[in-house]
């Protein structure tokens, strides 16, 4: 009877646990992801967000900055990932002590060249360099940096299919704050005179959180938001978007994605995210005073837009922006740190079924189930960024707190086919030298160096080796005799 009661009690307990586990699992996919791996240098606690770039050979290229507290040197770090193993991070640039790299941007051209730009001050100048992507792990292969005097506080760099560099930057502290654009068709040797994208910027406002992307038809897309110049209360006021379909020659008038017209703090921390997949353009941002996410999208490359819609239920929060990635099916993957429960959430948009909207958010990384539970040693993810390898491996980076260190998680998608990586390019063989027939002459001996002077090397006498053996032989006979005598003594005891 006692045995039967125990079995029944066990069944009841399992039923209770199952009933309580199902709602949690419906929001939690963290078991499908790796545990966070430290990406930045051990012992470094001041790191930036990442720039994540996929290449067609099955590698992910990741850049970030970190500052060494011992000497105040800020370096631009670089690492690669092939879906299995990470390379050892390597610094491709290091600043002078106590000189901060304020902003940086990286992009990959279709010719396999990685481009890198950065600024060491709030008003520039901008430095630029490049390297072959498949050799970029070595700082020695990067070209000597060149500089140009654009007053960039924040910037983004992209490359189109013609390997033209497009640079957009924010002038935050200059006399004419705003968003500016330029381009270079000769690998940064010369740059077009800058174009002011938003000359109608409101007085006493400054732009922030710049995003800049290129679509598969070489269309250029950019977004940002305005905040009050008063840094004691930098509330967001206006989210905007522009595009260019002729390589940056002309630009659309800035489109108002949202304005703070319901309340002063409606857009207090919008940090708008921009994603482009095919002809579909997405804007996702914290759109109300409790930082719940709102979404607008365009199905015609940013010409016309949907109405604003709140997404992801009651989840809320802002942690220095969200990340986007794209899989082999063209789906857009969103990642953001929101709550409650608190974690890095993952949701997907399928362009084949736009009416369905975003899928139910799932936690890729759990931070805390409730305010009462606390984080219990888990990382407080900020600056969430994302990328994809071969169209079916998702990679997400984030810092712990706002400053670092930097961590990474990843997983493989079961419902997205792999895009077969292209074979690595074969090095161009070095031409073999053709032997020249020897002339029919009698060779003459070449005199040794310094012949006929006191510095000439003395010639070895005939049978020089015999002299060495004659000198060593007595010593060898003496040693042999000593050992032989001791062996004889031991045998006759």
């Amino acid at each position: 009877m006692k045995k039967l009661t125990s079995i029944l009690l066990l069944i009841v307990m399992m039923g209770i646990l199952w009933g309580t586990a199902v709602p949690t699992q419906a929001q939690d996919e963290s078991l499908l992801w790796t545990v966070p791996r430290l990406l930045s240098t051990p012992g470094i606690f001041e790191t930036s967000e990442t720039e994540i770039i996929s290449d067609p050979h099955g590698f992910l290229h990741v850049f970030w900055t970190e500052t060494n507290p011992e000497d105040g040197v800020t370096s631009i770090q670089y690492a690669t990932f092939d879906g299995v193993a990470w390379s050892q991070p390597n610094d491709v640039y290091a600043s002078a002590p106590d000189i901060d790299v304020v902003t940086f941007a990286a992009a990959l051209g279709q010719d396999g060249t990685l481009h890198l730009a950065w600024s060491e001050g709030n008003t520039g100048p901008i430095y630029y360099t490049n390297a072959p992507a498949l050799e970029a792990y070595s700082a020695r292969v990067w070209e000597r940096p060149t500089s140009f005097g654009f007053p960039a506080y924040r910037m983004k760099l992209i490359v189109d299919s013609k390997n033209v560099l497009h640079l957009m930057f924010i002038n935050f502290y200059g006399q004419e704050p705003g968003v500016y654009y330029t381009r270079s068709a000769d690998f940064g040797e010369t740059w077009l005179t800058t174009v002011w994208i938003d000359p109608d910027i409101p007085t006493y406002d400054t732009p922030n959180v710049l995003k800049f992307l290129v679509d598969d038809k070489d269309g250029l897309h950019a977004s940002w938001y305005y905040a009050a110049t008063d840094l004691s209360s930098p509330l967001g006021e206006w989210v905007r978007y522009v595009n260019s379909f002729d390589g940056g020659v002309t630009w659309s008038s800035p489109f108002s994605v949202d304005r703070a017209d319901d309340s002063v703090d409606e857009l207090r921390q919008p940090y708008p995210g921009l994603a482009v997949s095919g002809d579909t353009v997405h804007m996702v941002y914290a759109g109300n005073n409790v930082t719940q996410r709102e979404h607008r999208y365009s199905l015609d490359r940013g010409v016309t837009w949907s109405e604003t819609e709140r997404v992801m239920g009651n989840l809320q929060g802002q942690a220095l922006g969200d990340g986007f990635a794209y899989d082999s099916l063209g789906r857009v993957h969103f990642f953001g740190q929101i709550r409650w429960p608190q974690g890095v959430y993952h949701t997907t948009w399928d362009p084949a079924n736009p009416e369905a909207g975003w899928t139910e958010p799932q936690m890729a990384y759990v931070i805390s189930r409730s305010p009462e539970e606390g984080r219990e040693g888990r990382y407080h993810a900020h600056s969430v960024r994302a990328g994809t390898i071969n169209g079916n491996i998702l990679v997400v980076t984030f810092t712990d707190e706002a400053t670092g260190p930097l961590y990474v998680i990843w997983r493989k998608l079961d419902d997205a086919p792999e895009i077969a990586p292209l074979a690595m390019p074969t090095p161009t063989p070095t031409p073999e030298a053709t032997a020249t027939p020897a002339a029919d002459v009698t060779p003459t001996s070449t005199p040794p160096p310094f012949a006929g002077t006191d510095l000439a090397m003395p010639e070895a006498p005939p049978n020089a080796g015999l002299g060495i053996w004659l000198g060593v032989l007595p010593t060898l006979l003496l040693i042999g005799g000593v050992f032989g005598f001791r062996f004889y003594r031991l045998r006759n005891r």
Side-chain angles (χ1 to χ4, degrees):
M1 184 67 181
K2 290 182 178 180
K3 185 176 181 181
L4 180 60
T5 303
S6 299
I7 293 174
L8 291 173
L9 182 60
L10 179 61
I11 293 173
V12 171
M13 291 179 65
M14 289 177 64
I16 293 173
L17 289 172
W18 175 259
T20 57
V22 169
T24 302
Q25 291 174 353
Q27 299 180 29
D28 187 354
E29 64 175 31
S30 59
L31 294 179
L32 301 175
W33 292 79
T34 64
V35 297
R37 178 192 188 276
L38 179 65
L39 191 55
S40 55
T41 303
I44 299 294
F45 298 95
E46 186 177 343
T47 63
S48 71
E49 64 184 80
T50 59
E51 283 270 13
I52 302 178
I53 304 168
S54 301
D55 76 16
H57 304 290
F59 289 92
L60 204 68
H61 305 261
V62 184
F63 295 85
W64 69 95
T65 65
E66 54 186 48
T67 301
N68 190 325
E70 295 182 358
D71 55 16
V73 170
T74 299
S75 60
I76 300 177
Q77 296 287 319
Y78 169 75
T80 61
F81 182 52
D82 63 1
V84 178
W86 285 88
S87 69
Q88 187 70 23
N90 188 33
D91 56 318
V92 298
Y93 175 78
S95 72
D98 300 320
I99 300 297
D100 190 22
V101 175
V102 175
T103 181
F104 72 99
L108 176 66
Q110 292 195 6
D111 62 349
T113 301
L114 273 173
H115 304 268
L116 179 64
W118 68 93
S119 175
E120 294 184 356
N122 290 331
T123 58
I126 291 177
Y127 295 88
Y128 165 80
T129 182
N130 63 69
L134 299 181
E135 303 175 32
Y137 56 85
S138 172
R140 289 178 294 183
V141 306
W142 289 84
E143 293 291 332
R144 183 179 182 87
T146 58
S147 64
F148 36 98
F150 298 141
Y153 171 65
R154 293 287 184 266
M155 66 179 169
K156 291 294 180 182
L157 178 70
I158 57 179
V159 187
D160 66 22
S161 65
K162 302 179 183 66
N163 292 312
V164 175
L165 306 179
H166 301 268
L167 179 71
M168 191 166 282
F169 64 90
I170 288 175
N171 180 359
F172 191 94
Y173 292 97
Q175 293 182 349
E176 296 180 325
V179 178
Y180 291 81
Y181 164 81
T182 183
R183 65 180 178 273
S184 172
D186 54 10
F187 278 39
E189 291 290 332
T190 59
W191 293 85
L192 178 77
T193 302
T194 55
V195 177
W196 194 355
I197 298 296
D198 61 337
D200 61 341
I201 180 174
T203 306
Y204 307 118
D205 275 12
T206 52
N208 208 341
V209 186
L210 179 66
K211 304 293 182 180
F212 192 27
L213 302 175
V214 59
D215 64 30
D216 54 12
K217 300 175 184 176
D218 280 348
L220 309 179
H221 307 262
S223 68
W224 65 93
Y225 81 93
Y226 295 123
T229 305
D230 181 7
L231 297 181
S232 64
S233 180
L235 297 176
E237 297 179 347
W238 197 1
V239 179
R240 306 188 87 178
Y241 161 89
V242 294
N243 58 41
S244 172
F245 299 141
D246 56 8
V249 176
T250 61
W251 289 86
S252 65
S253 297
F255 170 72
S256 294
V257 178
D258 203 351
R259 298 194 75 157
D261 46 15
D262 290 339
S263 63
V264 173
D265 58 352
E266 178 186 353
L267 296 174
R268 63 188 184 90
Q269 290 183 329
Y271 276 83
L274 177 66
V276 179
S277 179
D279 289 346
T280 305
V281 184
H282 299 268
M283 291 287 301
V284 180
Y285 55 98
N288 58 25
N289 58 2
V290 293
T291 61
Q292 293 172 325
R293 294 299 185 271
E294 293 186 352
H295 175 229
R296 297 189 74 171
Y297 66 93
S298 168
L299 299 176
D300 53 13
R301 303 175 73 201
V303 177
T304 60
W305 288 81
S306 69
E307 295 297 322
T308 304
E309 180 183 7
R310 185 156 64 87
V311 293
M312 303 177 205
N314 293 321
L315 294 170
Q316 59 184 270
Q318 183 54 265
L320 302 180
D322 308 317
F324 295 90
Y326 315 93
D327 66 27
S328 58
L329 299 176
R331 296 177 302 188
V332 181
H333 296 258
F334 164 93
F335 298 90
Q337 193 263 82
I338 40 184
R339 61 183 185 271
W340 290 100
Q342 187 178 31
V344 176
Y345 279 82
H346 171 213
T347 179
T348 305
W349 171 281
D350 189 349
N353 187 15
E355 294 79 14
W358 295 93
T359 60
E360 184 73 19
Q362 308 282 317
M363 271 196 291
Y365 176 66
V366 178
I367 298 175
S368 176
R369 299 289 180 184
S370 66
E372 294 75 25
E373 177 188 89
R375 295 200 298 270
E376 297 184 347
R378 293 182 285 264
Y379 305 119
H380 193 196
H382 282 64
S383 298
V384 178
R385 305 294 182 263
T388 320
I389 302 176
N390 298 333
N392 70 340
I393 299 177
L394 297 172
V395 179
V396 176
T397 64
F398 55 81
T399 60
D400 183 22
E401 303 296 346
T403 56
L406 181 67
Y407 294 89
V408 60
I409 59 176
W410 65 93
R411 64 161 289 196
K412 187 173 183 178
L413 295 171
D414 297 327
D415 59 348
E418 178 188 46
I419 299 174
L422 299 180
M424 302 284 277
T426 303
T428 303
T430 303
E432 295 184 4
T434 303
T436 303
D440 188 13
V441 296
T442 302
T444 57
S445 59
T446 302
F450 308 108
T453 71
D454 293 337
L455 299 177
M457 182 182 295
E459 295 184 3
N463 297 323
L466 177 62
I468 295 174
W469 278 108
L470 289 175
V472 173
L473 184 60
T475 304
L476 294 177
L477 290 174
L478 177 61
I479 294 172
V482 171
F483 277 97
F485 178 72
R486 294 190 63 184
F487 181 74
Y488 173 80
R489 294 275 310 266
L490 290 172
R491 288 288 302 271
N492 290 279
R493 281 185 178 181

